C-alpha cells in the first residue's frame, strides 16, 4: 500500500489498536494525526517521528462536537487535507444488566 502524500487521522491513537494503526499508516507513507484525550498521543507521534515520518498530535475529547471541529481544523491548518479517517475511539454507555 502506498499512502505517500496522504493524511490519515486516527482517534484514540494514544494506545492499542489506534496506536498500531497510526504507526501502520506512517509506515505506508502517510502523515498521521494522532487524536486522543490522554498525553499518550504524544508518545505515538514520537514513535512515528523516530522513523522519520510526520505526525501531529491533537489532544481532544471525541465526545465533544466542539473538540471534533477543532481537530479537523487543526489537521487542515497543518496539512490541508484529510484522506483517511479512522474513528477508532469508541464511546459507549454501560449499565448493569437487569437482574
Ligand atoms: N481490543 C479489542 O479486542 C477490541 C474488540 C472490539 C472492539 N474494540 C474497540 O476498538 C477500539 C479501540 O480498542 P483498544 O483495545 O485499542 O482500546 P484502548 O483502550 O487501548 O485505546 C482506546 C484509546 O482511545 C482513547 N479515548 C477514549 N475515549 C476517548 C475520548 N473521549 N476522546 C479521545 N480519545 C479517547 C483512549 O485514551 C485510548 O488511547 C475501541 O472502540 C474498542 O471498543 C476493541
Amino acid at each position: 500500500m502506498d499512502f505517500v502524500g496522504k493524511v490519515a487521522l486516527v482517534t484514540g491513537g494514544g494506545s492499542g489498536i489506534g496506536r498500531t494503526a497510526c504507526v501502520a499508516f506512517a509506515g505506508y507513507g502517510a502523515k498521521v494525526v494522532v487524536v486522543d484525550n490522554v498525553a499518550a498521543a504524544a508518545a505515538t507521534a514520537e514513535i512515528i517521528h523516530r522513523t522519520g515520518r510526520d505526525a501531529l498530535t491533537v489532544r481532544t475529547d471525541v465526545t465533544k462536537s466542539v473538540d471534533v471541529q477543532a481537530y479537523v481544523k487543526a489537521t487542515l491548518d497543518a496539512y490541508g487535507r484529510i484522506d483517511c479517517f479512522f474513528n477508532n475511539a469508541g464511546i459507549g454507555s454501560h449499565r448493569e444488566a437487569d437482574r
Side-chain angles (χ1 to χ4, degrees):
M1 284 188 283
D2 183 359
F3 282 81
V4 173
K6 304 293 186 189
V7 175
L9 187 153
V10 180
T11 63
S15 68
I17 295 167
R19 174 174 286 177
T20 300
C22 287
V23 173
F25 274 124
Y28 288 116
K31 294 173 181 164
V32 179
V33 182
V34 186
V35 173
D36 209 296
N37 62 352
V38 296
T44 301
E46 179 56 29
I47 292 168
I48 293 170
H49 291 152
R50 283 202 298 267
T51 69
R53 303 289 190 184
D54 202 351
L56 170 72
T57 302
V58 184
R59 183 92 174 258
T60 194
D61 181 347
V62 300
T63 65
K64 297 187 168 73
S65 61
V66 66
D67 280 22
V68 173
Q69 290 169 23
Y71 70 65
V72 169
K73 182 178 186 312
T75 302
L76 295 177
D77 286 349
Y79 298 134
R81 57 192 289 165
I82 303 174
D83 299 287
C84 310
F85 213 130
F86 182 16
N87 298 296
N88 164 69
I91 309 303
S93 61
H94 304 276
R95 66 184 179 117
E96 284 190 33
D98 293 336
R99 293 174 193 269

